[in-house]
Amino acid sequence: MTESELPLAGSRIQRRLAAAAIDLFYRQGALATSVRQITEACGMTPGALYNHFGSKDELLYVVVRDIHLRLEDEVTAAHEAVAGDPLAELRAIVGVYVTRHADHQETARVANREYHLLSGVWYDEVVAIRRRLRDRLADVLLAGHKCGEFHLVGGDDRSAAVLTAIPILDMCVHLSEWFHEHRPLGPTDLRDRYVGLALRMAGARPD
């Protein structure tokens, strides 16, 4: 597992435990994964986990939260680099989503499948990140509609922008469920095609 897939912070042992947890959550789901399995994968006793995380649930929260935060950081950077041009902004956001979900399938699947298991403030925090990402794209779509670059289905208000942003992001997220390096379509072509699909969904004017 690469550095870009591990949690954003923590001690060396915390990151080892997180890496083991991600692998196990990816292969068998968080519910079916025990503390013993996670610690054994790191060559530790079960009690060692509790020196670094309050529970398996807290470890799941940290892993899922940080995967989402990493995506948000990359989306924000790509978006801000082309701010002011809705077409370029849409291309940038979709490009990051496609790359993260095609190239980092383990973390993408864990984040999107397992966040539902969180509860309370942990769940609320992750949902808030997901909502910020959705709203960022909705803002781009609405701005593009207002300046004539896009033509949104269903009207010219924010609800139309949100209802377009959701399926665009969903199609990118589901890449992690089927795409792999042995597919005939390479990552660059895949990204270009998904950007093209997103532009059509946004009603972008033909070149």
Side-chain angles (χ1 to χ4, degrees):
M1 184 171 297
T2 65
E3 190 73 14
S4 64
E5 294 178 275
L6 290 172
L8 297 172
S11 69
R12 181 179 59 84
I13 294 177
Q14 285 174 320
R15 291 166 71 80
R16 282 179 61 199
L17 289 165
I22 289 169
D23 179 62
L24 288 162
F25 294 163
Y26 169 74
R27 290 192 284 113
Q28 60 190 40
L31 283 177
T33 299
S34 67
V35 169
R36 181 178 295 277
Q37 287 175 310
I38 295 169
T39 53
E40 282 183 351
C42 299
M44 303 176 189
T45 61
L49 183 139
Y50 300 105
N51 293 325
H52 303 278
F53 297 97
S55 62
K56 186 187 79 173
D57 288 344
E58 184 181 11
L59 173 55
L60 174 64
Y61 156 68
V62 170
V63 163
V64 169
R65 178 200 64 193
D66 285 7
I67 293 168
H68 279 86
L69 286 173
R70 192 181 296 279
L71 173 63
E72 185 177 36
D73 287 346
E74 292 187 13
V75 165
T76 299
H79 180 200
E80 291 179 349
V82 293
D85 180 348
L87 281 169
E89 291 171 359
L90 177 57
R91 290 190 182 100
I93 292 172
V94 171
V96 170
Y97 257 80
V98 169
T99 299
R100 288 300 305 182
H101 289 83
D103 292 352
H104 303 280
Q105 290 176 300
E106 281 195 33
T107 52
R109 287 193 196 181
V110 168
N112 290 300
R113 288 178 176 179
E114 307 296 333
Y115 84 91
H116 299 283
L117 298 177
L118 301 175
S119 61
V121 294
W122 290 347
Y123 176 82
D124 292 343
E125 183 179 355
V126 171
V127 168
I129 299 169
R130 296 173 72 92
R131 189 172 291 121
R132 289 198 301 267
L133 285 160
R134 181 205 67 191
D135 289 346
R136 178 182 291 273
L137 180 56
D139 290 343
V140 169
L141 293 170
L142 189 57
H145 182 90
K146 289 180 177 179
C147 72
E149 293 288 358
F150 302 142
H151 180 73
L152 299 177
V153 174
D156 58 1
D157 58 6
R158 182 161 187 81
S159 64
V162 170
L163 288 174
T164 303
I166 291 171
I168 288 175
L169 295 181
D170 278 353
M171 74 175 184
C172 297
V173 165
H174 282 93
L175 270 170
S176 65
E177 298 292 337
W178 65 266
F179 182 75
H180 56 77
E181 61 183 4
H182 300 300
R183 291 277 178 171
L185 196 63
T188 300
D189 288 337
L190 185 74
R191 183 176 63 249
D192 291 345
R193 292 196 189 189
Y194 267 65
V195 167
L197 287 169
L199 289 169
R200 291 189 183 190
M201 292 167 73
R205 296 177 301 178
D207 292 334

